[in-house]
C-alpha cells in the first residue's frame, strides 16, 4: 500500500491522522487505516477515490501502489502524486485451476522469459509511466 495526495504536506502514512483519506470500500487499506484511527472516505472503486481527491472531499488516498500509479498515469494528473514509501507490501500472484497446468506453466515461463530479457522495467514504464 502507498499514499496519494494533492500536492500538499502529506508525505506518507504518518501524515494521515487528522485527515479524511479515500479508500476502496471493504479493502485492506480501509481496515488498516481504521485500526490506526484514521478517518476514511470509503468509495466503491479506486477511480471514485481519485475523484474524491480531485473534488477535495478527501485530503489523501491509500491503495496498492501499482493500481494508483497506473490510474494516475493513464488519466494524467498534474495535481495528484504518489507520495511516501510503500508501507505494507502485498504480493500479487496468478492462480489457475489444477486442470490448467499447461496454461499455468506457459504463463510462468513467459514471466521468467520477460524477467531474463529485462523487459519487466519496460512494461512498468509503459503502464505506470517513466520513473516507476
Amino acid at each position: 500500500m502507498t499514499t496519494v495526495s494533492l500536492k500538499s504536506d502529506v508525505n506518507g502514512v504518518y501524515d494521515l491522522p487528522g485527515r479524511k483519506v479515500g479508500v476502496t470500500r471493504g479493502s485492506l487499506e480501509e481496515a488498516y487505516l481504521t485500526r490506526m484511527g484514521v478517518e476514511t472516505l470509503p468509495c466503491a472503486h479506486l477511480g471514485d477515490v481519485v475523484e474524491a481527491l480531485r473534488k477535495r472531499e478527501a485530503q489523501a488516498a491509500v491503495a496498492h501502489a501499482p493500481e494508483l500509479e497506473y490510474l494516475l498515469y493513464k488519466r494524467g494528473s498534474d495535481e495528484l502524486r504518489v507520495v511516501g514509501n510503500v508501507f505494507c507490501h502485498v504480493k500479487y500472484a496468478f492462480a489457475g485451476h489444477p486442470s490448467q497446468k499447461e496454461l499455468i506453466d506457459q504463463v510462468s515461463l513467459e514471466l521468467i522469459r520477460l524477467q531474463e530479457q529485462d523487459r519487466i522495467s519496460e512494461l512498468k514504464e509503459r503502464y505506470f509511466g517513466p520513473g516507476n
Side-chain angles (χ1 to χ4, degrees):
M1 289 182 273
T2 193
T3 308
V4 66
S5 75
L6 294 166
K7 292 182 178 172
S8 69
D9 59 345
V10 174
N11 295 302
V13 66
Y14 296 107
D15 294 327
L16 297 178
R19 302 172 196 277
K20 188 178 285 189
V21 181
V23 294
T24 303
R25 185 177 293 114
S27 65
L28 174 65
E29 294 83 6
E30 181 180 21
Y32 183 89
L33 293 175
T34 299
R35 280 194 310 273
M36 282 182 59
V38 174
E39 180 183 4
T40 61
L41 176 65
C43 299
H45 305 284
L46 186 55
D48 300 332
V49 172
V50 171
E51 273 310 302
L53 274 172
R54 285 196 169 117
K55 294 178 181 176
R56 298 195 170 23
E57 296 168 357
Q59 288 78 48
V62 173
H64 295 287
E67 295 172 28
L68 281 172
E69 290 166 352
Y70 176 79
L71 191 62
L72 294 179
Y73 179 65
K74 286 300 180 184
R75 290 190 177 183
S77 180
D78 291 333
E79 63 183 347
L80 299 176
R81 63 186 173 105
V82 176
V83 297
N85 295 320
V86 172
F87 58 88
C88 180
H89 292 276
V90 178
K91 295 186 180 202
Y92 289 85
F94 296 96
H97 193 275
S99 67
Q100 298 292 319
K101 183 174 177 358
E102 188 176 309
L103 177 61
I104 293 168
D105 289 345
Q106 288 174 354
V107 169
S108 296
L109 289 172
E110 183 63 18
L111 290 171
I112 292 167
R113 184 183 69 77
L114 290 170
Q115 182 68 37
E116 287 175 347
Q117 293 177 352
D118 200 30
R119 297 264 329 272
I120 300 297
S121 57
E122 176 186 319
L123 291 170
K124 285 174 70 175
E125 187 168 318
R126 178 176 169 192
Y127 289 98
F128 304 121
N132 283 309

